[in-house]
């Protein structure tokens, strides 16, 4: 009788283990379907964490980010398919996190925040390599220029571009696969490239590169930014705004002033609203008006 009871118990345990393993497998499969959403959340959080390197005041806790992330999941529109649901979540989480964090940044840093989000998303998608990102941030750095083509000269014998610029052109041609052979391409058609670099708005997408260079090489806009860093670095700030708008939309480059209603909606007994005042700023009237309306 004891043996029969043990066998029965063993069979029940084995059955429960099998059910548990099956359930865990189903949960694992379901979780994997939402990995793109988790990946976007991870990208956003580490961009936000790096903001402290810009200004020590920009410190956002993981607990705050988690609450914000979860609130979007709960309030966002539902969908019939996982693919559609993922698209909605990724879009809503990105937009909500951006708006909430940008609200606490100085105006001069908001575009930088948009730019960092855009770049890190594209780096995760392998559209921007680590080496290309390094070129935009730090330039050519220290590299062997023994095989660098000679800096081209104009009709008077003067060098068209500075040594630093031409070295960066060479670095782009050596490091970025999409810009391979750039020095030779520029030298072969100096007039066309000089016209483009001297144009008023070389950062605008409608201002085509010489010889259909973008179409032939299938360049991303980021590669145009590398070219601007080589030839027209003063236009990079405009190119950054263009890059963010093309990649993420206008809402990531236009920063409307936040209303008290929007700020209040995001507060709780865990998350108070803190006003950092500068000379001439006084939110008292706005607070009184909002209190009367409520």
């Amino acid at each position: 009788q004891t043996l029969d009871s043990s066998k029965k118990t063993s069979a029940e345990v084995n059955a429960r283990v099998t059910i548990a393993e099956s359930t865990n497998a189903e949960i694992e499969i379901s979780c994997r379907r939402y990995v793109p959403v988790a990946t976007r959340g991870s990208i956003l959080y580490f961009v936000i964490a790096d903001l402290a390197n810009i200004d020590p005041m920009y410190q956002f806790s993981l607990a705050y980010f988690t609450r914000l992330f979860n609130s979007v999941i709960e309030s966002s529109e539902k969908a019939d398919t996982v693919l559609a649901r993922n698209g909605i979540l990724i879009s809503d989480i990105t937009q909500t996190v951006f708006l909430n964090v940008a609200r606490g940044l100085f105006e001069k840093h908001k575009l930088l925040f948009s730019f960092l989000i855009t770049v890190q998303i594209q780096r995760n998608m392998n559209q921007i390599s680590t080496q290309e990102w390094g070129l935009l941030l730090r330039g050519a750095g220290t590299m062997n220029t023994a095989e660098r083509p000679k800096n081209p000269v104009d009709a008077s014998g003067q060098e068209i571009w500075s040594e630093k610029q031409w070295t960066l052109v060479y670095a782009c041609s050596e490091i970025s696969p999409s810009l391979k052979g750039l020095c030779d391409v520029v030298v072969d058609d100096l007039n066309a490239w000089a016209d483009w670099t001297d144009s008023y708005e070389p950062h605008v997408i409608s201002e085509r590169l010489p010889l259909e260079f973008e179409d032939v090489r299938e360049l991303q806009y980021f590669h145009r930014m590398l070219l601007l860093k080589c030839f027209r670095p003063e236009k990079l700030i405009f190119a950054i705004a263009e890059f963010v708008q093309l990649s993420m939309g206008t809402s990531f480059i236009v920063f409307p002033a936040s209303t008290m209603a929007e700020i209040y909606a995001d507060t709780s007994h865990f998350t108070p609203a803190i006003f950092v005042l500068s000379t001439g700023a006084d939110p008292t009237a706005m607070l009184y008006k909002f209190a009367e309306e409520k």
Side-chain angles (χ1 to χ4, degrees):
Q1 185 176 359
T2 302
L3 183 59
D4 290 341
S5 177
S6 297
K7 288 181 178 180
K8 184 178 179 181
T9 302
S10 177
E12 291 175 353
V13 168
N14 289 335
R16 290 175 182 174
V17 168
T18 302
I19 294 172
E21 289 176 348
S22 176
T23 302
N24 287 337
E26 291 176 2
I27 293 173
E28 181 68 20
I29 292 171
S30 298
C31 287
R32 287 179 180 175
R33 292 175 180 172
Y34 291 94
V35 165
V37 178
T39 300
R40 178 58 60 88
S42 175
I43 291 170
L44 293 171
Y45 175 72
F46 284 107
V47 169
I48 293 168
D50 285 341
L51 291 176
N53 296 324
I54 299 172
D55 191 303
M57 188 179 73
Y58 299 155
Q59 299 193 35
F60 300 84
S61 70
L62 178 58
Y64 165 76
F65 180 84
T66 303
R67 285 198 300 272
L68 192 59
F69 187 89
N70 290 338
S71 69
V72 177
I73 292 176
E74 293 172 2
S75 63
S76 62
E77 179 187 350
K78 304 301 184 283
D80 295 330
T81 65
V82 173
L83 184 62
R85 176 66 170 158
N86 279 349
I88 292 169
L89 285 174
I90 288 172
S91 176
D92 288 359
I93 288 169
T94 305
Q95 186 76 38
T96 301
V97 169
F98 169 74
L99 290 175
N100 277 268
V101 173
R103 189 181 296 153
L105 305 182
F106 291 119
E107 200 68 27
K108 62 182 180 181
H109 294 145
K110 291 181 179 179
L111 180 58
L112 175 58
F113 179 45
S114 301
F115 178 57
L116 290 174
I117 289 176
T118 308
V119 168
Q120 295 307 326
I121 289 173
Q122 295 196 5
R123 289 185 68 190
N124 179 259
M125 298 169 65
N126 296 320
Q127 294 178 358
I128 300 173
S129 70
T130 300
Q131 292 77 16
E132 289 172 334
W133 179 227
L135 272 176
L136 188 71
L137 290 182
R138 294 181 289 274
T142 303
M143 65 180 301
N144 185 1
T145 58
E147 297 183 5
R148 190 197 72 179
K150 189 176 179 181
N151 196 345
V153 296
D154 58 20
S156 65
Q158 295 292 320
E159 292 181 342
I160 298 176
W161 295 290
S162 69
E163 283 295 303
K164 182 179 180 180
Q165 286 178 298
W166 192 241
T167 298
L168 184 55
V169 173
Y170 177 66
C172 288
S173 68
E174 291 295 303
I175 292 174
S176 174
S178 299
L179 299 176
K180 189 172 180 62
L182 178 62
C183 289
D184 295 331
V185 172
V186 172
V187 170
D188 289 343
D189 204 330
L190 278 177
N191 291 334
W193 281 91
D195 288 343
W196 177 76
T197 58
D198 291 340
S199 62
Y200 181 66
E201 293 182 322
H203 59 283
V204 177
I205 196 70
S206 59
E207 191 72 46
R208 306 297 294 171
L209 292 174
L211 307 174
E212 303 297 325
F213 191 66
E214 279 167 311
D215 299 329
V216 173
R217 298 296 185 96
E218 298 182 350
L219 301 185
Q220 304 288 335
Y221 189 85
F222 186 84
H223 297 112
R224 179 184 283 253
M225 293 175 66
L226 289 176
L227 294 175
L228 288 170
K229 184 173 178 68
C230 294
F231 300 114
R232 294 289 298 278
E234 76 280 5
K235 292 293 185 180
L236 261 182
I237 185 64
F238 304 105
I240 287 172
E242 186 86 0
F243 172 64
V244 173
Q245 182 177 20
L246 290 171
S247 304
M248 305 292 287
T250 305
S251 60
F252 284 81
I253 62 168
V254 176
F255 316 110
S258 300
T259 65
M260 194 61 220
E262 292 173 337
I263 295 172
Y264 180 78
D266 292 327
T267 61
S268 69
H269 57 291
F270 290 115
T271 310
I274 299 175
F275 294 88
V276 180
L277 303 183
S278 57
T279 304
D282 186 2
T284 306
M286 180 178 66
L287 285 170
Y288 279 133
K289 181 180 179 181
F290 179 72
E292 291 172 358
E293 293 173 352
K294 294 295 287 185

